Structures are given as C-alpha cells and as structure tokens.
C-alpha cells in the first residue's frame, strides 16, 4: 500500500536555503512511499533540478500549494494548471485552511480548482484536497457537518472523473502550526468517517493524509492508525532533521 509524505513549505524557502536542504538529504526512500515537497511557485524549477540530482533510491517529487480555477487569461497573480504541468508538478494542494481563512476560498471555489485540475489531459498532476474543522466546530459537535459541507462539492467533481487519482488531507485547523496534535482517537474517528463518506459518494477509496503538527515524536502513533495513508506536513518538513524521521516512520509501516 502506498504511503505519502507530502511537505507544505508554505511561504518558506529561498534559492540558497533550498539547495542547502537538499545537500543534507541522506538515506533512501522505500518504493511504496511517495515523498513530495510543495514549494512556493518561484522555486518549482529549482526543485525539479535538485530532485533530479538525488540518487535514484531517494526519489522526491514536487508540487504547488495552490492553482487557479481559470484556464488562462486576465487573472493577475494567478498560476494555471498548465503552468504547473510545465514544471512537471506531481501534486497541487487545494483548499488549504490558510487559503480558506486568509483568501476567503469557499468550498465552491475549491471544487472549481479541483475541476480545472481534473479537466487537464495530463493525469500526472494529483490534487491534495484539504478539509478540516475549527476548534469551535469540534467543541460544538459539528465536525461531520463541516466536513460534509467541504467534501460534497469536491466529491461531486471527483465522481465525474472516476479514473483520476486524488488525495484527501484531513487537517483540523486548530492543529495546524500550533503544536497541538489531534489525539489518535480523534484522528481515527474522523479518518474513518471521511473514508466512509467518500466511499459512499464515489464507490472507490481515496488515500487520506493527516496534517496538523506532525512531528518525529508523534508520527509513529499516527501513521499506524487505520485510514491514515500518510502525512501532509508543514513545520517539521522545513528541516532535514525533523523531515527524515517522518520518512523513516512511513517506511517502517510500509515494511510491515
Ligand atoms: C500544514 O500547513 O498543512 C500543516 C500541517 O502544518 P504543520 O505541520 O506545521 O501543522
């Protein structure tokens, strides 16, 4: 079974800093693990070069953190699907909570972006669709209502593209960048609910990643949970000393 470790570097990085990061790369990547780094747009070309220079036993893919819902045109500041394809991106994060929160992205807009990715003839670009509730929503017992509202429009798009790969990422907003990780019970229960909800809409399974303060000291307890197919990682992906242990952790479960 494939496991994913996908890094979201957010607005971090720099030409020199990225090169330094890759210089420290060591170890190998198990064949059943897909590792990718989603960087700010200006660094996509550099990532493709840095990855190409890694040994064959340590493949690292790359991706973007957002994409336009439009094909092309007068949309200042936007980046299209075909532009991501020009840089051979394997992944694009869609609907990250920081996009929803700071850029007012609605679930409808998230679905339109997804639809644009799905319309592309190139099937190599996989969307990583983020969903997750705020703390007040968890405390008020409305997690499932919130997740259903976020999932319904994206599942409707995925339903008309049954042969296209897509990943979901459950990222409780209150756990992102806060150091507070959801408990194994919360993760298990929510991943199981998402898996069943997606299956009943699509009739097929989608990989579901967990994201929210994943660190070397909590990763092992998360990756072993049912319906957890990997991590979407922010902070811990910025330094090799915290990123490599996450790969090791995914490897140990992949070997079982
Ligand atoms: C994220 O931004 O998707 C994320 C999970 O961040 P962090 O790991 O820093 O909580």
């Amino acid at each position: 079974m494939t496991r994913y470790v996908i890094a979201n570097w957010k607005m971090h990085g720099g030409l020199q800093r990225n090169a330094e990061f890759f210089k420290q790369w060591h170890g190998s990547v198990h064949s059943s693990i897909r590792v990718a780094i989603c960087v700010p747009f200006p660094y996509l070309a550099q990532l493709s070069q840095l990855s190409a220079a890694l040994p064959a036993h340590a493949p690292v893919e790359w991706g973007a953190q957002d994409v336009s819902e439009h094909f092309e045109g007068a949309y200042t500041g936007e980046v299209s699907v075909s532009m991501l394809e020009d840089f051979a991106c394997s992944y694009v994060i869609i609907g990250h909570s920081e996009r929803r929160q700071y850029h007012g992205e609605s679930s409808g807009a998230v679905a339109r972006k997804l639809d644009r990715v799905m319309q592309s003839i190139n099937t190599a670009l996989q969307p990583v669709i983020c969903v997750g509730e705020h703390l007040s929503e968890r405390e008020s017992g409305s997690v499932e209502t919130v997740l259903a509202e976020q999932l319904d429009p994206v599942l409707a798009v995925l339903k008309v593209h049954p042969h296209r790969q897509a990943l979901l990422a459950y990222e409780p907003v209150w756990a992102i960048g806060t150091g507070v990780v959801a408990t194994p019970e919360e993760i298990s229960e929510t991943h199981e609910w998402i898996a069943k909800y997606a299956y009943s809409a699509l009739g097929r399974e989608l990989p579901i990643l967990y994201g929210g303060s994943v660190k070397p000291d909590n990763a092992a307890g998360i990756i072993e949970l049912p319906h957890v197919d990997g991590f979407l990682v922010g902070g811990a992906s910025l330094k090799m000393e915290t990123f490599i242990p996450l790969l090791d952790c995914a490897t140990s479960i992949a070997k079982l």
Side-chain angles (χ1 to χ4, degrees):
M1 187 179 153
T2 305
R3 304 278 169 169
Y4 300 82
V5 180
I6 300 192
N8 174 13
W9 275 7
K10 312 192 187 197
M11 202 171 70
H12 293 288
L15 284 177
Q16 203 177 332
R17 195 162 143 192
N18 305 345
E20 286 299 323
F21 180 89
F22 272 78
K23 260 192 224 154
Q24 293 165 36
W25 193 274
H26 57 88
S28 58
V29 174
H30 190 266
S31 57
S32 66
I33 298 184
R34 291 188 69 172
V35 182
I37 302 184
C38 294
V39 290
F41 297 127
Y43 301 126
L44 288 173
Q46 185 196 19
L47 255 282
S48 67
Q49 288 159 9
L50 291 170
S51 305
L54 289 175
H57 60 267
V60 173
E61 300 173 287
W62 56 94
Q65 301 168 13
D66 187 29
V67 69
S68 174
E69 67 182 73
H70 302 289
F71 176 64
E72 69 174 356
Y75 301 104
T76 304
E78 298 272 284
V79 170
S80 71
V81 167
S82 68
M83 293 170 188
L84 300 187
E85 289 172 340
D86 279 346
F87 289 93
C89 288
S90 299
Y91 299 94
V92 56
I93 297 173
I94 299 180
H96 190 279
S97 63
E98 286 154 13
R99 301 286 322 164
R100 293 178 192 257
Q101 201 171 341
Y102 306 136
H103 301 271
E105 270 185 26
S106 63
S107 297
V110 171
R112 290 193 294 279
K113 289 179 179 202
L114 174 65
D115 191 44
R116 179 58 55 205
V117 175
M118 297 284 105
Q119 300 278 348
S120 147
I121 338 159
N122 180 341
T123 53
L125 181 63
Q126 291 189 51
V128 181
I129 307 150
C130 300
V131 295
E133 81 287 353
H134 287 269
L135 186 57
S136 58
E137 294 164 335
R138 179 159 282 275
E139 286 171 347
S140 65
S142 47
V143 175
E144 292 171 9
T145 312
V146 171
L147 295 181
E149 184 272 326
Q150 294 175 352
L151 284 167
D152 286 345
V154 303
L155 293 173
V157 173
L158 293 175
K159 202 173 165 81
V160 289
H161 299 279
H163 305 298
R164 293 294 297 264
Q165 261 287 4
L167 292 88
L168 297 175
Y170 170 57
E171 298 208 303
V173 182
W174 46 274
I176 296 179
T178 57
V180 181
V181 69
T183 64
E185 293 73 29
E186 288 166 332
I187 299 173
S188 267
E189 199 179 83
T190 314
H191 275 239
E192 184 181 352
W193 183 87
I194 294 173
K196 285 189 180 152
Y197 197 79
Y199 190 84
S200 70
L202 302 177
R204 65 181 166 119
E205 289 178 4
L206 297 177
I208 309 173
L209 314 185
Y210 171 77
S213 297
V214 173
K215 303 267 180 313
D217 61 359
N218 58 31
I222 298 172
I223 195 84
E224 67 184 20
L225 298 171
H227 303 294
V228 173
D229 299 293
F231 307 123
L232 180 57
V233 199
S237 69
L238 295 171
K239 289 193 180 136
M240 207 51 100
E241 67 256 33
T242 45
F243 191 48
I244 293 280
L246 303 184
L247 306 187
D248 292 344
C249 180
T251 302
S252 62
I253 202 98
K255 280 182 176 165
L256 291 179

